Amino acid sequence: MMDEKLLKPYDPKETEDRIYKLWEESGYFNPDNLPVAKIKNLKLKIKNFCIAIPPPNITGTLHMGHALNAVIQDILIRKKRMEGYKTLWLPGTDHAGIATQNIVEKELKKQGLTRHDLGKEKFIKRVWEWKEKYGNIILDQLKKLGASCDWSRARFTMDKEYVEAVETAFLHYYKKGWIYQGDRVVNWCKRCQTSLSDLELEYEETKGKLYFIKYPLKSQISNLKSQKYIVVATTRPETMLGDSAVAVNPKDKRYKNLIGKILILPIANREIPVIADSAVEMEFGTGAVKVTPAHDMLDFEISERHKLPIIKVINNYGKMTLRQAQGKQNKIIEELNGMPSKDAREKIVEDLKKQNLIEKIEDYDLRISKCYRCNSIIEPQISKQWFLKMKELSKMAIDIVKKGNVKFHPKKWEKVYFDWLKNIKDWCISRQIWWGHKIPLDGVDDVLDTWFSSALWSFATLGWPKKTKDMQEFYPTKVLSTARDIINLWVARMIFSSMELTKKKPFDKIIIHPTILTRDGKRMSKSLGTGIDPMILIEKYGADATRFGLIYQMMGGQDIHFSEDATMAGKKFANKLWNASRFVLMSTDKFITEYDHRRKNLTETDLAIIQSLISIKRSINNHINNYSFGHALHTFYDFFWYEFCDVYLEASKKQLEDKNLKENTQEILSYGLITSLTLLHPFMPFITEEIWELIPGKKNLLIIEKWPKL
RNA sequence: GGGCGCGUAGUUCAGCUGGUUAGAACGUACGGUUCACAUCCGUAAGGUCAGAGGUUCGAGUCCUCUCGCGCCCACCA
């Protein structure tokens, strides 16, 4: 008897939630419930396969990149589960320090409140409320996509056990002497009121000016009578009040006789020395650089070498603070004090012009740094921060990839990784925000860089530092699939954290997936309105079609110029599959998973389709193993539509009427359909499982059906 | 300043280690379809493979240069 369902066209909306529930109730997302986990025979070595999801930030909802990444991981997981591995996909979310704090602050602002109005305790409570809401939305969205994660193991980077892991890691480094506190010039965000690491900056090219300023010599030099001053070039004249020297390159002949001489710093009227330091580029500007240790990283390093005083002239809010700056009290200094640094620049330049101390002003293209979370301009600023020594850690991270024990796919991304690690500076791990892991030392208000905790993700989620069964079974994990923009921010740090803390690598392979751009190749962005919401695609076309659309366009490592047409094609394809299945199920009630093609009495058409099936099984299997998901899906699509449907199904109509051919034809139809559903399941899990439900004679859910024999 | 990637039909892309008249999808045009599917089937038009030079019996595929587009990194103030 035909199932009533088969009379209607395929409806993803009616199907998907029901099928997902079926999976959840089966318990098979949890590796401990899989048939393989019940095997008692000790001789059989159970193979494990684990992926820890890159935890989405709780700042909002999933975007297309998350969706693509989730589908990639789900394909790998579903295939391995069908291959009989004890398979775990561990889900979770990230507290995302600054990003989340900012977004909750924005919410408060709508009510006219700041975080200071609430106070720390109440504010943090608010953030937890936000987390409850959005953390769950994200997990629900992953479910909508069909992600077969073990939700019973879901983790959050600030849950109780995770806090323990973070503290253990910190203390481990601390005891080793790798964590130290010190005054350094760091990237300071005036809005977020915190330090940021170099990786947390974004850069913007802007048109600026290069100011050439004359710094007069205190005394005339006998053999160089014409020399009355040194000209320095700067893009930031307002910082000059904090200068404590002018530096030149020791090899620079132009300034040879001036090294050690004293200059009078204009406006401040302070005496500063001319020093020699090889960090100075002779070719740039005039070859003489003003040294402002409190507001420039290079200058700070120079000042350490030369033991120069550090004079802070801009405060944490970007305003001039000139108590230390002046030599002699003067009117201009008084006026400048408290002024925003931007205004101070104009005022200073104006005054220098009056004194005839500006030689020239040139147009200059410069690159300004901005906060990656709030887009404010960064103010390099001296402050007391915590640092983690990178020397040993970066070496470990380099070695394990060099040896080939951790592999990038595509391989070219190794270079990005190596280049960063080779020139790495110590990691500033403290942040002056409220939302995050507290630095475990008494009396410290700072929190840890959010990436410090993310760096522990692959093992903290499995129970580290405890010696859990999960750590034994699933660590190291097998694959990390992620976006290229966090190779250093996250992947590299995960690798060295793991090498040091667990003495094992965190994963074998790193898949760097394509970035999803708009059809015109622009960045998808919410604020520009160029983004596409994967949930809307699911609503319109269904989750299978959405998955299809993403993967179908994922050819090679090339970025995807996303076109909704592919999603629409996915919906059409789902319908094609549905109708073809209807036809097969109306024509036969056999259940054939393997077919002996050496059997006689086959028509040419029979032979051709059987040979195609053999070849696509192999091809799809290889493509998935090589992470060529797009190619795998194209292979399946072409086979199923143009060979199985257009050719074989059409031919079968006549063959079914022929008594001598009928049985064979039925068997081949069944074998073809069952093989197809199995191969397609990792890509389009809902519809394949739904059709599977209708197949007479099936024993399991498709989710644990055996992957076809090659 | 350094690095990476891309430029193939109107559009989005395949084309692996160089080898027969360069492929697909979508779009377009025309035709068909009561028999699983109009979310269908069939037919057709469309490309000096960015440009120049080179290696080769043979290059979209390898090398060099040029042009165009995109991305990343860097302490030239």
Side-chain angles (χ1 to χ4, degrees):
Chain A
M1 277 300 277
M2 277 290 302
D3 195 298
E4 205 179 301
K5 246 184 241 167
L6 287 179
L7 300 173
K8 298 179 212 154
Y10 179 63
D11 177 13
K13 258 188 209 163
E14 188 278 324
T15 309
E16 289 175 352
D17 288 348
R18 180 165 43 75
I19 292 290
Y20 201 87
K21 221 172 160 191
L22 197 68
W23 289 331
E24 284 201 288
E25 281 164 5
S26 77
Y28 292 143
F29 290 172
N30 183 334
D32 300 325
N33 296 330
L34 287 171
V36 64
K38 310 275 191 271
I39 293 172
K40 292 273 159 60
N41 187 345
L42 292 172
K43 281 178 194 165
L44 284 173
K45 207 184 164 201
I46 293 173
K47 290 186 287 186
N48 298 299
F49 187 86
C50 175
I51 297 178
I53 201 172
N57 293 345
I58 53 164
T59 42
T61 52
L62 296 189
H63 59 242
M64 293 299 277
H66 291 121
L68 174 66
N69 198 201
V71 176
I72 289 170
Q73 293 169 80
D74 199 44
I75 290 170
L76 290 171
I77 286 287
R78 282 179 186 273
K79 176 167 180 275
K80 286 294 176 193
R81 190 158 39 221
M82 292 169 92
E83 286 178 322
Y85 284 71
K86 194 171 176 189
T87 307
L88 169 62
W89 187 12
L90 200 153
T93 46
D94 196 302
H95 71 281
I98 299 173
T100 308
Q101 170 160 325
N102 284 354
I103 213 154
V104 175
E105 281 187 278
K106 263 187 202 161
E107 284 294 300
L108 283 177
K109 207 177 172 184
K110 287 180 193 162
Q111 303 162 38
L113 294 171
T114 70
R115 68 183 151 114
H116 301 282
D117 295 332
L118 289 188
K120 197 167 183 171
E121 206 172 304
K122 276 190 183 163
F123 178 76
I124 287 175
K125 213 179 141 208
R126 275 286 182 103
V127 185
W128 275 103
E129 285 164 18
W130 173 277
K131 183 261 163 187
E132 281 313 312
K133 188 175 166 197
Y134 283 90
N136 289 331
I137 290 178
I138 288 165
L139 299 185
D140 283 344
Q141 290 185 324
L142 285 169
K143 291 177 188 175
K144 280 269 178 207
L145 271 167
S148 57
C149 303
D150 179 5
W151 305 107
S152 73
R153 283 176 164 88
R155 297 296 301 270
F156 177 56
T157 52
M158 272 176 63
D159 61 33
K160 204 174 143 240
E161 294 82 3
Y162 210 103
V163 171
E164 261 181 66
V166 169
E167 285 176 358
T168 307
F170 186 93
L171 290 173
H172 172 94
Y173 291 134
Y174 191 80
K175 279 179 196 157
K176 273 202 128 168
W178 288 0
I179 284 182
Y180 64 94
Q181 201 183 13
D183 286 305
R184 290 283 183 292
V185 173
V186 295
N187 306 299
W188 185 264
C189 176
K190 288 179 280 193
R191 203 219 64 85
C192 301
Q193 285 297 303
T194 183
S195 59
L196 295 167
S197 76
D198 289 349
L199 293 176
E200 290 168 307
L201 307 182
E202 265 167 21
Y203 302 100
E204 199 180 293
E205 302 292 331
T206 41
K207 300 267 176 223
K209 305 271 185 210
L210 190 58
Y211 301 85
F212 291 76
I213 305 173
K214 301 173 189 169
Y215 283 18
L217 277 155
K218 188 183 176 190
S219 51
Q220 290 279 4
I221 291 163
S222 51
N223 59 346
L224 272 173
K225 283 197 174 123
S226 58
Q227 191 89 32
K228 289 188 174 127
Y229 46 77
I230 289 182
V231 177
V232 298
T234 180
T235 55
R236 302 191 60 200
E238 69 278 14
T239 63
M240 68 178 286
L241 299 172
D243 286 0
S244 44
V246 164
V248 297
N249 192 297
K251 290 179 189 156
D252 197 330
K253 285 174 189 160
R254 292 172 294 179
Y255 298 108
K256 218 167 94 190
N257 298 326
L258 295 170
I259 294 164
K261 298 288 185 266
I262 302 296
L263 302 170
I264 304 294
L265 181 65
I267 299 179
N269 285 326
R270 262 192 295 115
E271 295 187 359
I272 56 172
V274 179
I275 59 169
D277 194 288
S278 53
V280 179
E281 296 279 337
M282 293 190 275
E283 292 77 24
F284 186 86
T286 60
V289 59
K290 60 195 263 326
V291 181
T292 319
H295 301 287
D296 184 281
M297 290 180 204
L298 178 65
D299 291 3
F300 179 80
E301 284 168 26
I302 293 176
S303 82
E304 285 213 305
R305 287 195 283 270
H306 297 268
K307 308 234 170 349
L308 298 171
I310 294 162
I311 302 159
K312 188 165 168 169
V313 290
I314 300 170
N315 69 14
N316 286 352
Y317 298 91
K319 294 193 170 153
M320 305 304 288
T321 170
L322 300 173
R323 241 164 283 146
Q324 307 173 8
Q326 69 270 43
K328 280 176 205 157
Q329 198 72 13
N330 72 56
K331 230 173 117 187
I332 306 158
I333 294 267
E334 271 167 39
E335 265 180 68
L336 288 169
N337 200 23
M339 196 182 266
S341 59
K342 216 174 111 192
D343 302 342
R345 177 183 302 180
E346 287 175 30
K347 178 88 189 143
I348 286 170
V349 170
E350 195 185 305
D351 191 72
L352 289 171
K353 274 182 185 164
K354 272 185 206 157
Q355 298 187 50
N356 197 25
L357 290 175
I358 300 267
E359 188 185 69
K360 59 178 171 178
I361 299 172
E362 286 179 355
D363 286 333
Y364 188 68
D365 294 330
L366 58 101
R367 200 181 62 148
I368 53 170
S369 326
K370 295 188 156 187
C371 171
Y372 81 142
R373 289 308 181 200
C374 77
N375 217 34
S376 306
I377 294 174
I378 292 300
E379 192 79 61
Q381 182 78 278
I382 186 139
S383 75
K384 189 161 287 224
Q385 301 289 344
W386 294 85
F387 294 87
L388 176 58
K389 284 187 186 167
M390 278 295 113
K391 204 180 159 196
E392 303 282 328
L393 290 170
S394 67
K395 195 172 167 295
M396 284 180 228
I398 289 170
D399 286 351
I400 193 80
V401 175
K402 273 243 165 84
K403 274 191 228 150
N405 290 345
V406 174
K407 284 195 174 115
F408 276 88
H409 181 93
K411 195 172 189 301
K412 64 173 179 181
W413 296 111
E414 274 183 4
K415 198 174 161 14
V416 173
Y417 174 85
F418 286 135
D419 285 352
W420 182 68
L421 285 169
K422 269 187 238 159
N423 304 308
I424 198 166
K425 289 190 282 186
D426 285 350
W427 178 9
C428 174
I429 52 171
S430 48
R431 297 289 182 277
Q432 289 65 49
I433 56 173
W434 289 353
W435 175 243
H437 288 276
K438 289 195 78 171
I439 289 186
L441 284 170
D442 292 338
V444 179
D445 266 347
D446 289 359
V447 300
L448 287 164
D449 178 5
T450 195
W451 298 101
F452 186 91
S453 51
S454 314
L456 315 179
W457 183 254
S458 57
F459 45 99
T461 50
L462 291 171
W464 185 90
K466 294 198 186 79
K467 284 177 183 150
T468 58
K469 188 161 164 274
D470 276 359
M471 270 304 273
Q472 267 173 31
E473 280 194 312
F474 295 113
Y475 206 72
T477 66
K478 292 294 182 289
V479 169
L480 176 79
S481 176
T482 192
R484 59 158 179 259
D485 47 332
I486 51 177
I487 289 174
N488 295 325
L489 215 44
W490 187 47
V491 179
R493 286 164 173 172
M494 215 167 3
I495 293 175
F496 66 62
S497 303
S498 179
M499 294 306 296
E500 172 61 22
L501 297 167
T502 74
K503 305 299 171 204
K504 284 183 182 172
K505 57 184 171 179
F507 27 71
D508 299 337
K509 296 252 171 72
I510 304 154
I511 303 175
I512 302 299
H513 69 243
T515 302
I516 299 200
L517 306 170
T518 66
R519 200 177 173 140
D520 316 321
K522 300 258 161 59
R523 186 169 272 277
M524 278 200 182
S525 132
K526 249 186 224 166
S527 52
L528 294 174
T530 51
I532 295 175
D533 181 348
M535 293 306 125
I536 290 174
L537 290 180
I538 291 176
E539 182 67 22
K540 267 165 89 174
Y541 305 103
D544 284 326
T546 302
R547 294 167 66 115
F548 179 100
L550 286 163
I551 297 300
Y552 199 75
Q553 294 182 78
M554 183 188 164
M555 304 303 288
Q558 240 22 71
D559 286 348
I560 295 171
H561 289 204
F562 187 83
S563 159
E564 213 169 305
D565 291 353
T567 319
M568 217 177 315
K571 189 177 162 80
K572 284 186 185 179
F573 189 57
N575 198 60
K576 187 73 181 175
L577 181 71
W578 182 253
N579 281 304
S581 304
R582 273 176 63 189
F583 175 79
V584 173
L585 292 173
M586 283 190 287
S587 309
T588 177
D589 55 4
K590 293 186 189 307
F591 181 80
I592 312 271
T593 55
E594 281 169 48
Y595 193 85
D596 184 357
H597 63 284
R598 284 159 303 182
R599 193 193 293 228
K600 283 169 189 170
N601 293 336
L602 294 182
T603 64
E604 269 183 41
T605 324
D606 291 340
L607 262 175
I609 199 71
I610 284 166
Q611 269 156 13
S612 286
L613 274 161
I614 291 169
S615 111
I616 63 144
K617 276 198 285 192
R618 202 170 292 149
S619 155
I620 289 171
N621 194 66
N622 289 341
H623 280 315
I624 297 178
N625 289 348
N626 295 328
Y627 311 123
S628 300
F629 304 107
H631 283 99
L633 188 54
H634 277 260
T635 302
F636 183 86
Y637 182 94
D638 292 348
F639 160 78
F640 191 80
W641 201 305
Y642 305 116
E643 293 186 54
F644 192 64
C645 292
D646 287 355
V647 179
Y648 196 76
L649 254 54
E650 289 308 322
S652 76
K653 288 171 189 170
K654 276 182 193 161
Q655 293 195 10
L656 287 167
E657 283 166 21
D658 186 325
K659 270 186 209 161
N660 298 320
L661 300 177
K662 186 174 176 183
E663 202 181 328
N664 247 341
T665 305
Q666 286 181 319
E667 289 184 359
I668 294 171
L669 284 172
S670 167
Y671 168 60
L673 178 67
I674 284 169
T675 307
S676 296
L677 291 174
T678 320
L679 288 170
L680 184 61
H681 181 258
F683 299 87
M684 301 177 84
F686 291 105
I687 185 170
T688 48
E689 187 76 75
E690 171 73 352
I691 295 169
W692 192 257
E693 282 290 288
L694 303 169
I695 293 181
K698 55 115 192 1
K699 295 191 188 85
N700 305 315
L701 286 177
L702 182 53
I703 186 178
I704 55 158
E705 178 64 23
K706 279 200 192 84
W707 185 250
K709 265 194 193 162
L710 302 181

